[in-house]
């Protein structure tokens, strides 16, 4: 198995608060890892360290063996990452279709000056249509995000991340805000993507779905790694139970 | 006839100048509060070259390059930083520009540069050149809007951080918009210098920067047709109404404020809303409309 991501001894401090403390995490090609932990455990922060939105105080991040710690966010994306954010951030002036199409066109947007000479967007829109259909949004492709319910926007985030065709797909609570039925169907899609070979790191609060689709779990609490391993083993780990039941989150 | 020609020429130069800012502020969402400095850089370049007997048409590209180089330096220094840093830097550059021009005898100091040679095309010919350049840049703007570059600009204007997470080199795109916009302001400056046959430090100050921003905002940020309309109208208003000429800053900032408050998408937005046959009702958040 080849290693896709290696987070090595990463620490992030916000003022006096350790959001992430000496964390190590390795993800191999083809894995689907469920990343759980109570609110404030530093899950989103670790995601942001991986994508370069947050700079760690110490530690390194490697993508396919290359140290990307000092690289700008857009270069890390080009190197094979994609992120669906916890707080949805649609481009509000663009239709759902174009929100995804712009990500599909990453070859056309790579070189800024060259992008001026290209106007054809048909193939990207066709691709975007397919991706939106995959997340169950084909009936609203021409709508603006402002008119859409949260559940739709969460799925839009996922479609847009998929459009980047990443080596590693990072999903930050994609199921939050979805109805039980919607959550189950998006979880199914995530499992299917993984079965098709997509490597995925999935942050999720919905334990039921996580336990259903993720073979491997990584648990963080209070910024520290708590457990990593097979899902049933991790879930029976007393430390993990404590972290969840003790703090009172589920 | 001569008065109409003057009016039309003034309009065309203003339209070009406003469209140059529209490229930066309208397309790319980057607020510049010192755009007149680039008009000035072009105007002074063209004026001084003309006085050194360089033919008018050759001074145009020189003015564009000079203004664009200034734009590149400022863009490189400020576009990589936080979102609204450009507004502050450009305002500073605007004041600095006027300050430097004032101090240096090389640039004519307080008195400015008078007696700029005529363009050599006559008043009518010069007007046609101005109109042709304004229309060319308008057509270019409309084209860019349709290109992938325009698509990215729209995305950046919407949300820079998201655009970055989509793998796009946001700083590079912003820099290109800024260089094209400032270079074009330089072209407008060359026309300005040969229209009035005089340039002075007072012509390129804060008031000018605010008026051109008002034109872009009143026209409707990003809308090429709206900006053309607003620039044409607002550029001649002070010539027609003495009161507005006397209270330019008050008038333009008042207009700016009113527009931001009552129709943030400008005249273009106003028209869209008035003429759209099916009024769209937008639910304020996502309820259960599935
Ligand atoms: N930008 C920030 N500035 C200050 N504190 C932050 C910031 N982002 C996160 N934190 C803090 O870091 C901790 C971890 O947050 P986060 O990574 O969002 O947790 P999770 O995603 O696991 O709920 C929390 O205590 C949070 O308040
Ligand atoms: Mg979070």
């Amino acid at each position: 198995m080849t290693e896709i991501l290696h987070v090595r001894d990463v620490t992030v401090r916000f003022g006096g608060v350790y959001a992430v403390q000496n964390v190590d995490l390795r993800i191999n090609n083809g894995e689907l890892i469920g990343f759980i932990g109570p609110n404030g455990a530093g899950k989103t922060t670790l995601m942001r360290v991986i994508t370069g939105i947050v700079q760690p105080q110490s530690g390194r991040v490697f993508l396919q063996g290359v140290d990307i710690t000092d690289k700008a966010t857009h270069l890390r994306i080009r190197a094979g990452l994609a992120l669906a954010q916890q707080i949805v951030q649609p481009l509000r002036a663009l239709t759902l279709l174009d929100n995804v199409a712009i990500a599909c066109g990453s070859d056309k947007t790579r070189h800024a000056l060259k992008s001026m000479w290209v106007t054809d967007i048909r193939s990207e829109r066709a691709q975007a249509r397919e991706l939106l259909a995959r997340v169950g949004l084909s009936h609203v492709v021409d709508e603006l995000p402002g008119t859409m319910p949260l559940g739709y926007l969460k799925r839009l985030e996922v479609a847009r991340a998929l459009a980047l065709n990443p080596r590693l797909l990072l999903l930050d609570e994609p199921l939050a805000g979805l109805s039980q039925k919607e959550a189950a169907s998006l979880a199914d899609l995530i499992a299917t993507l993984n079965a098709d070979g997509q490597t995925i790191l999935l942050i999720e609060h919905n334990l039921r779905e996580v336990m259903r689709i993720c073979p491997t779990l990584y648990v963080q609490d209070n910024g520290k790694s708590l457990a990593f391993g097979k899902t049933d083993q991790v879930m029976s780990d007393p430390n993990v139970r404590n972290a969840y039941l003790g703090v009172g989150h589920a | 006839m001569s008065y109409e020609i003057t009016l039309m020429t003034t309009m065309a130069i203003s339209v070009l100048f406003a469209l140059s800012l529209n490229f930066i502020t309208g397309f790319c969402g980057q607020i510049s509060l010192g755009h007149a400095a680039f008009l000035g850089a072009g105007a002074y370049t063209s004026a001084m070259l003309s006085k050194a007997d360089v033919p008018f048409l050759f001074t145009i590209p020189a003015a564009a390059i000079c203004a664009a180089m200034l734009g590149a330096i400022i863009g490189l220094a400020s576009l990589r930083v936080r979102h609204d840093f450009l507004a502050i830097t450009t305002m500073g550059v605007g004041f600095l520009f006027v300050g430097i021009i004032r101090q240096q005898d090389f640039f004519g100091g307080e008195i400015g540069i008078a007696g700029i040679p005529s363009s050599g095309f006559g008043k009518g010919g010069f007007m046609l050149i101005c109109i042709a350049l304004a229309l060319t840049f308008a057509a270019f703007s409309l084209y860019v809007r349709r290109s992938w570059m325009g698509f990215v600009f729209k995305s950046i204007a919407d949300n820079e951080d998201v655009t970055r997470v989509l793998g796009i080199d946001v700083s590079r795109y912003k820099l290109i918009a800024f260089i094209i916009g400032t270079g074009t302001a330089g072209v407008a400056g060359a026309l300005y210098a040969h229209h009035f046959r005089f340039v002075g430090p007072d012509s390129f100050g804060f008031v000018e920067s605010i008026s051109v921003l008002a034109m872009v905002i009143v026209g409707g940020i990003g809308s090429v047709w709206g900006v053309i309309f607003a620039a044409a109208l607002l550029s001649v208003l002070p010539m027609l109404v003495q009161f507005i000429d006397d209270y330019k800053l008050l008038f333009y900032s008042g207009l700016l404020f009113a527009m931001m408050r009552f129709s943030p998408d400008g005249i273009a937005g106003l028209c869209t809303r008035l003429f759209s046959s099916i009024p769209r009702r937008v639910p304020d958040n996502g309820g259960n409309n599935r």
Side-chain angles (χ1 to χ4, degrees), chain A residues 39-40 42-45 86 172-173 203:
Chain A
N39 263 326
K43 302 183 297 293
T44 297
T45 303
Q86 178 178 5
D172 195 350
E173 300 203 22
I203 295 182

Side-chain angles (χ1 to χ4, degrees), chain B residues 73-96:
Chain B
I73 294 167
I74 292 153
L76 277 172
S78 58
L79 286 171
R80 280 171 198 283
V81 202
R82 287 313 304 170
H83 306 226
D84 8 30
F85 197 65
L86 187 72
I88 296 160
T89 327
T90 45
M91 190 160 87
V93 168
F95 287 121
L96 203 65

